[in-house]
Amino acid sequence: MKKTFKHFLCRCGVGLPHLWAFSAKKTPLHSSSGIPSNRGNAIVRRIRNRAILVAAAVAVPVVALLAQGYGGSPIWWEANTGEKMPLAALFRDSSGDILVYNTGGTMGTRDHAFFSKLGSNDRACITCHQPSAAMSVNLERLNERWQQTHGTDAVFAAVDGSNCPSLPQKEKSSHSLLLEHGLFRIYESWPAAGVKPEFSIEVLRDPTGCNTDAVYGLKSARPTISVYRRPRIVGNFRFLTGGAFTADSRAATLEQQAIDAVRMHEQGSGNLSPDDLRQIVEFEEQLFVAQSRDETGGDLTEVGSADVLGPWTMSRTRPDDLHAIADRNLTRFLAVDDWPYRRPESAAPRDVFRESVLRGSRIFSTRTFHIGETANLERVGGHKAMDGTCATCHSERFTGVSNQAAWADIGTSIKGWIGDRPELPLFKITCNTDAMPHPYLGRVIYTNDPGRALVTGKCADVGSFVMQQLRGLPARAPYFTAGTAKNLHEVVDFYDKRFSAHFTEQEKQDLVNFMSVL
């Protein structure tokens, strides 16, 4: 059987070096992820037994079965370490396991542009896009890193890993927005090059001191505005269209995004070589990131699971047919249609949870409510106001982004909707009398981040952001662009109040459970 199994692996296109690169780190299986080795060994035995059965049935790619162990990648990745990026890396998160699937197979990272320092502050792209945090960062890992390095890790670089570069960098309080909310400073010249703004910006509150700083502020020799945002997930880019790579859509391509990121976050020149750009983009496009196991719901990638669960199905799906509006079937977007061996009458925790996920999936795609007072909604749903569902805006089937790469103002940075956030700056936006006002907020707007308006200079774009992916959420809290939702319950509560959806408590929990398995 052993010979037959290896023969099967080769015929399936799974190279044995790739296979063993993932499963070889067994002693300990993955100590840095906190998984006891006895549990890990039991998992490995279960995988091997299952893999043999599946090989006989030729039912699914064997690689999908091997990714139930733990490890393969550092829990925190530093630049220039030369570690190998495995075929698959699995980590514990707040509700189960997150899996990063590298379709290019196990690869060396020495001198690879995504993993190498390209600027002056010891960072690489990997610094702020960690596999253990679904290719982003989360509060647990950041605070661990602060303790381990006493704040000297490159992720805490003064330029944007602190509240402002002028603050004393050895003090933990100077990095409070990153450590407590997962926010990096995004700093841009104001006005942007070539833009004639339709509004003025007044700083009403500046808890970080950066927007009124003599060197880094709006009235400095080089007028600069500082806002604070979560880093977006790197992965599943097969399903994203141009402009969906940053919160404000300032980068239309992955190449532009890479150049901008190296300039801003790595303090490089931004003059990347064609080879460096190619390496970064190719690597980003071969990553698929999703939950693979839930503590209560069990294995999300088992044979017969819904085709939107786990990274394997994403990697096998072509996006060509998923973006056309004419072909939309909103009941199918991110839909969990069924579970293998479903037992709807069972009171067992796993079965109860899975039934909740099914209900949450249907609520997400079919439960209607009025979507109004949302600037730029017509870019997303085709109408200025409409009755819709969660899937109206989170419409791309496999990621939950907008399949139009559109931006809209759902209120996550507007004081009147998100509430007062004393940890963040507060700006007063006053639109020029000859400019088109914000369609719902008028000519005077209070916000902690003008969003897309910083790129376009348009008053009507204040507060608009590009929809985010919904993949790997348990590994990368907090949520929304400014980290203003601590958990998925707060996300659902925000939308419930924002659009008067009147979700029941059961519907809210079902939505949370559904989003937690994506």
Side-chain angles (χ1 to χ4, degrees):
M1 183 65 188
K2 188 174 181 180
K3 182 177 180 180
T4 304
F5 183 50
K6 287 185 178 180
H7 178 68
F8 170 78
L9 292 175
C10 295
R11 292 193 61 184
C12 286
V14 180
L16 290 176
H18 293 169
L19 186 81
W20 306 133
F22 177 78
S23 60
K25 294 187 178 181
K26 294 183 292 188
T27 313
L29 189 62
H30 188 42
S31 58
S32 57
S33 66
I35 306 301
S37 59
N38 57 348
R39 178 184 172 192
N41 291 333
I43 292 171
V44 170
R45 288 193 297 270
R46 174 167 59 85
I47 295 155
R48 287 173 178 166
N49 291 338
R50 182 187 299 169
I52 292 172
L53 292 174
V54 173
V58 198
V60 296
V62 173
V63 67
L65 305 174
L66 294 170
Q68 305 305 313
Y70 289 80
S73 174
I75 195 119
W76 185 270
W77 203 306
E78 297 181 69
N80 286 17
T81 60
E83 292 266 2
K84 286 189 176 181
M85 180 68 192
L87 174 73
L90 200 67
F91 297 92
R92 292 294 301 274
D93 60 27
S94 63
S95 71
D97 300 333
I98 184 71
L99 177 62
V100 178
Y101 176 33
N102 171 25
T103 59
T106 300
M107 53 180 274
T109 63
R110 190 170 302 280
D111 298 324
H112 190 289
F114 191 90
F115 301 85
S116 300
K117 302 173 186 178
L118 299 176
S120 62
N121 61 10
D122 290 336
R123 281 182 179 169
C125 302
I126 193 70
T127 305
C128 303
H129 298 284
Q130 295 283 338
S132 64
M135 298 305 294
S136 179
V137 294
N138 61 36
L139 300 186
E140 180 183 4
R141 298 285 173 260
L142 288 167
N143 281 275
E144 284 177 355
R145 201 62 186 160
W146 179 273
Q147 294 297 327
Q148 292 166 355
T149 68
H150 305 288
T152 62
D153 190 275
V155 75
F156 304 112
V159 64
D160 62 354
S162 69
N163 298 349
C164 192
S166 59
L167 296 174
Q169 294 301 304
K170 292 183 179 180
E171 294 186 13
K172 192 174 183 179
S173 60
S174 299
H175 305 266
S176 61
L177 288 181
L178 182 57
L179 290 169
E180 297 173 17
H181 304 278
L183 303 176
F184 288 93
R185 185 174 75 101
I186 304 298
Y187 55 98
E188 292 288 359
S189 298
W190 181 253
V195 172
K196 183 179 180 181
E198 299 177 347
F199 56 87
S200 62
I201 301 177
E202 179 183 353
V203 181
L204 297 185
R205 181 178 64 223
D206 190 26
T208 69
C210 229
N211 283 292
T212 53
D213 190 88
V215 176
Y216 301 100
L218 277 165
K219 294 184 178 180
S220 65
R222 295 182 178 180
T224 301
I225 186 169
S226 293
V227 294
Y228 300 84
R229 298 174 182 169
R230 297 280 290 122
R232 297 203 164 196
I233 180 175
V234 169
N236 311 325
F237 284 163
R238 176 183 295 178
F239 305 101
L240 273 63
T241 53
F245 310 119
T246 58
D248 53 19
S249 196
R250 65 184 179 274
T253 66
L254 282 175
E255 287 82 1
Q256 290 177 2
Q257 188 278 329
I259 291 170
D260 184 67
V262 169
R263 174 190 64 81
M264 178 178 290
H265 304 299
E266 298 185 44
Q267 294 178 277
S269 67
N271 296 320
L272 298 183
S273 71
D275 282 345
D276 284 344
L277 275 177
R278 176 187 54 78
Q279 280 190 331
I280 291 172
V281 172
E282 284 183 357
F283 176 70
E284 292 176 339
E285 288 182 334
Q286 69 191 35
L287 292 183
F288 293 88
V289 184
Q291 289 295 109
S292 69
R293 187 187 65 86
D294 184 86
E295 291 285 2
T296 305
D299 186 358
L300 304 175
T301 63
E302 63 185 326
V303 178
S305 289
D307 64 358
V308 299
L309 295 180
W312 317 111
T313 49
M314 283 193 288
S315 72
R316 297 195 300 267
T317 303
R318 293 185 304 109
D320 303 346
D321 301 326
L322 302 180
H323 290 287
I325 291 180
D327 294 334
R328 278 193 190 181
N329 175 3
L330 292 182
T331 62
R332 297 187 65 222
F333 284 120
L334 281 173
V336 178
D337 301 308
D338 208 345
W339 294 97
Y341 320 115
R342 182 185 174 197
R343 298 188 298 169
E345 305 303 323
S346 170
R350 187 183 97 150
D351 298 316
V352 171
F353 178 85
R354 289 187 169 199
E355 290 302 304
S356 174
V357 169
L358 285 174
R359 292 192 303 269
S361 172
R362 292 165 189 148
I363 293 167
F364 187 92
S365 295
T366 65
R367 169 71 150 76
T368 59
F369 47 87
H370 186 69
I371 307 174
E373 298 187 43
T374 301
N376 290 311
L377 179 63
E378 64 273 16
R379 297 180 59 87
V380 179
H383 304 278
K384 291 186 176 181
M386 60 188 298
D387 288 340
T389 70
C390 302
T392 298
C393 297
H394 294 281
S395 54
E396 200 291 308
R397 184 183 179 197
F398 274 80
T399 61
V401 297
S402 166
N403 63 6
Q404 301 302 302
W407 55 85
D409 174 20
I410 62 170
T412 54
S413 75
I414 302 300
K415 182 180 178 181
W417 290 119
I418 200 66
D420 197 22
R421 299 289 173 171
E423 73 276 9
L424 296 172
L426 181 64
F427 304 103
K428 179 182 178 181
I429 306 296
T430 303
C431 303
N432 300 341
T433 56
D434 60 347
M436 181 179 294
H438 189 287
Y440 303 105
L441 302 175
R443 295 190 179 278
V444 178
I445 307 164
Y446 299 91
T447 179
N448 53 55
D449 187 340
R452 176 66 180 169
L454 294 179
V455 177
T456 66
K458 295 183 179 298
C459 185
D461 286 339
V462 172
S464 285
F465 295 94
V466 176
M467 304 295 164
Q468 297 199 47
Q469 288 196 53
L470 300 181
R471 289 293 186 173
L473 293 173
R476 52 189 184 94
Y479 309 111
F480 293 143
T481 299
T484 46
K486 295 179 182 178
N487 52 56
L488 291 178
H489 287 279
E490 291 190 5
V491 171
V492 174
D493 282 340
F494 172 81
Y495 283 110
D496 184 50
K497 295 174 183 177
R498 174 69 171 86
F499 297 116
S500 300
H502 303 297
F503 293 128
T504 66
E505 291 305 309
Q506 183 62 64
E507 286 177 321
K508 290 180 181 180
Q509 186 62 57
D510 292 342
L511 282 168
V512 167
N513 290 344
F514 166 62
M515 289 190 290
S516 73
V517 302
L518 295 177

